[in-house]
Amino acid sequence: MRVEFAFHQCPCRTVTYHRGVNVGIVGGGIIGCATAWELSRNGVDVTVYDGRPVAGGATHASAGVLAPYLGAHDPGPLQPLIVRSCGLFDAFVRRVRDDAGVAIEYSRCGSIEVALDETEADSLSRFAAMHTAAGARWVDGDALRRLEPAIAGDPHGGVVIDEHGYVAAPELTAALAVAASVRGVSFIGERVASVNCESAQPAIRTVAGQSSRFDRIIIAAGSWSSQLAPGTTVRAVYPVKGQLLRLKWPAPKMERIVWTTRCYIVPRQGGHVLVGATMDDVGFDESVTEAATDQLLSAAHSVLQMPSGAGMVEARVGLRPATLDGLPIVGCSRTSDAVIFATGHFRNGIALAPLTASLVTDLVLGRALDPALDPLSPKRFGL
Ligand SMILES: Cc1cc2nc3c(=O)[nH]c(=O)nc-3n(C[C@H](O)[C@H](O)[C@H](O)COP(=O)(O)OP(=O)(O)OC[C@H]3O[C@@H](n4cnc5c(N)ncnc54)[C@H](O)[C@@H]3O)c2cc1C
């Protein structure tokens, strides 16, 4: 079943909460909604603001791939965070399904990273040998074609990782919003004009001029987060445009995610596949372009044997919230402990949502700080 969630349509049931802390969240993408739900599970009183529908930002365009080791051959500080967050996903999705009472497309279907030439085969086979503990295994070209007959041409082998998977990101986010509203979270369908933390209790002012005070405010506004950072003009978060296609796939469902240096393909239920994604540094432009569509279609044709009747259903665009060091920004603001950033997740916001929601909840509830927060501090950018 496809779930949609609109602001002002909260199917709130009567529930009893200990309402100790009052939190405002700017942004109804995966990060804002996951955090709202996690806080509400812990008895916190939450209000989410967004001028767009739930998941109307980058989350809407996401392929939802949950794969710490795909295309990531240079393990940096991000990889252990993604591994940890993906490890939370089974329980996370189960609880959201239970709370929201809806189905969410989620599968640990595994992935194949395909070597398209000898050079890639060299580096990928070395990568597989170094990551056996993560379940990586090298397969040669023949074995690879047996595993995934839809792969075209003459692949030079690939790395298979069975643990990898995907989630339908807009559906998960809509379900998070339903689950949060069931637990009492309010959703206000208005854009926030400013976050003010000059007095003891910070305030959110909407573009309509309404002001509300909170004990804590969480800035989870994706690529737009820098515009709301109080007391600074630093552009710590900037948009990187990505376009993705949904194709009709009138053939048996592909078994695994297929990842190549040209494009990646994510199998989906209902006779579709997703083909991603472009990367363009063009500011806040969210238009679908023919050039990006052609680029992705041609990449897909070079990697896959297209069944007859395959074709484009839709193109989606999103602005990935990027940061200068490639790490998310999660933690209290330099100017006030009452303002918390949860942003800058770039290409991994879906995979990092469960961990981010849990880290932010710890901060709000004053629990012992998780060492994972150390490299993510907003203060490194003067925020
Ligand atoms: C093509 C593409 C493919 C991707 N594939 C993957 C993938 O496979 N796996 C993965 O983990 N990640 C993927 N990503 C990245 C992932 O989508 C993002 O990291 C994630 O969606 C960021 O979530 P967010 O909630 O921070 O931001 P967003 O989803 O952008 O949400 C931010 C929200 O804040 C709202 N907002 C902004 N300003 C204001 C304001 N002033 N007042 C109120 N609300 C405001 C916006 O309207 C928006 O709804 C992909 C991204 C793209 C574009």
Side-chain angles (χ1 to χ4, degrees):
M1 180 175 71
R2 196 174 166 78
V3 194
E4 282 178 1
F5 181 88
F7 280 80
H8 301 308
Q9 294 179 358
C10 307
C12 300
R13 285 187 216 139
T14 308
V15 276
T16 310
Y17 291 105
H18 164 66
R19 299 199 183 272
V21 190
N22 181 22
V23 170
I25 298 182
V26 189
I30 183 104
I31 299 297
C33 289
T35 305
W37 174 67
E38 190 65 38
L39 285 169
S40 66
R41 292 178 64 232
N42 283 275
V44 176
D45 199 353
V46 183
T47 306
V48 179
Y49 294 81
D50 200 320
R52 299 184 184 202
V54 158
T59 302
H60 160 76
S62 178
V65 173
L66 311 172
Y69 299 101
L70 273 184
H73 305 142
D74 240 346
L78 192 56
Q79 199 174 54
L81 298 178
I82 304 175
V83 170
R84 192 172 150 195
S85 196
C86 285
L88 301 173
F89 245 93
D90 283 357
F92 184 77
V93 170
R94 194 174 51 246
R95 285 198 209 105
V96 181
R97 274 178 187 150
D98 288 351
D99 265 14
V102 296
I104 299 163
E105 186 177 348
Y106 166 64
S107 168
R108 303 302 279 232
C109 57
S111 66
I112 306 178
E113 185 160 2
V114 182
L116 297 174
D117 58 32
E118 277 304 329
T119 315
E120 288 183 10
D122 257 17
S123 94
L124 282 177
S125 55
R126 267 186 280 117
F127 170 81
M130 284 164 58
H131 289 82
T132 49
R137 64 179 197 278
W138 172 256
V139 294
D140 64 21
D142 289 340
L144 189 146
R145 267 190 302 270
R146 279 195 300 277
L147 281 176
E148 192 50 81
I151 293 174
D154 189 19
H156 291 240
V159 182
V160 177
I161 300 185
D162 293 326
E163 276 292 294
H164 284 165
Y166 73 87
V167 67
E171 279 175 33
L172 170 62
T173 309
L176 278 163
V178 172
S181 65
V182 163
R183 287 181 176 272
V185 173
S186 305
F187 286 80
I188 310 279
E190 272 186 55
R191 197 170 165 76
V192 169
S194 64
V195 171
N196 185 320
C197 57
E198 272 149 28
S199 66
Q201 257 197 327
I204 279 177
R205 192 170 55 80
T206 66
V207 289
Q210 196 115 40
S211 216
S212 306
R213 295 204 169 278
F214 295 94
D215 298 316
R216 300 270 196 287
I217 291 173
I218 296 161
I219 299 181
S223 290
W224 298 268
S225 298
S226 288
Q227 298 167 1
L228 292 157
T232 176
T233 52
V234 178
R235 290 281 172 258
V237 185
Y238 61 95
V240 173
K241 179 179 177 181
Q243 188 166 315
L244 171 138
L245 306 180
R246 185 157 67 95
L247 305 186
K248 194 169 167 207
W249 189 259
K253 187 171 183 273
M254 284 172 61
E255 294 290 334
R256 293 174 176 77
I257 297 162
V258 172
W259 189 278
T260 76
T261 43
R262 289 183 202 147
C263 66
Y264 59 83
I265 297 101
V266 186
R268 297 297 298 269
Q269 286 170 5
H272 293 113
V273 296
L274 301 181
V275 179
T278 56
M279 297 260 270
D280 288 302
D281 192 354
V282 290
F284 287 90
D285 170 14
E286 291 177 88
S287 58
V288 168
T289 69
E290 227 179 278
T293 301
D294 290 348
Q295 180 192 326
L296 289 169
L297 280 175
S298 129
H301 275 93
S302 73
V303 170
L304 295 179
Q305 302 183 42
M306 291 287 174
S308 93
M312 195 172 99
V313 178
E314 62 169 341
R316 299 178 190 165
V317 167
L319 302 177
R320 304 176 185 91
T323 62
L324 289 174
D325 61 6
L327 290 176
I329 302 174
V330 183
C332 296
S333 148
R334 172 183 62 83
T335 47
S336 166
D337 278 354
V339 175
I340 296 169
F341 287 91
T343 185
H345 293 79
F346 192 39
R347 301 185 74 182
N348 297 293
I350 311 306
L352 287 168
L355 180 62
T356 303
S358 152
L359 293 173
V360 173
T361 300
D362 287 351
L363 281 169
V364 169
L365 297 181
R367 292 175 180 155
L369 291 190
D370 194 308
L373 284 166
D374 293 346
L376 311 183
S377 169
K379 291 163 192 148
R380 73 192 194 276
F381 293 121
L383 288 178

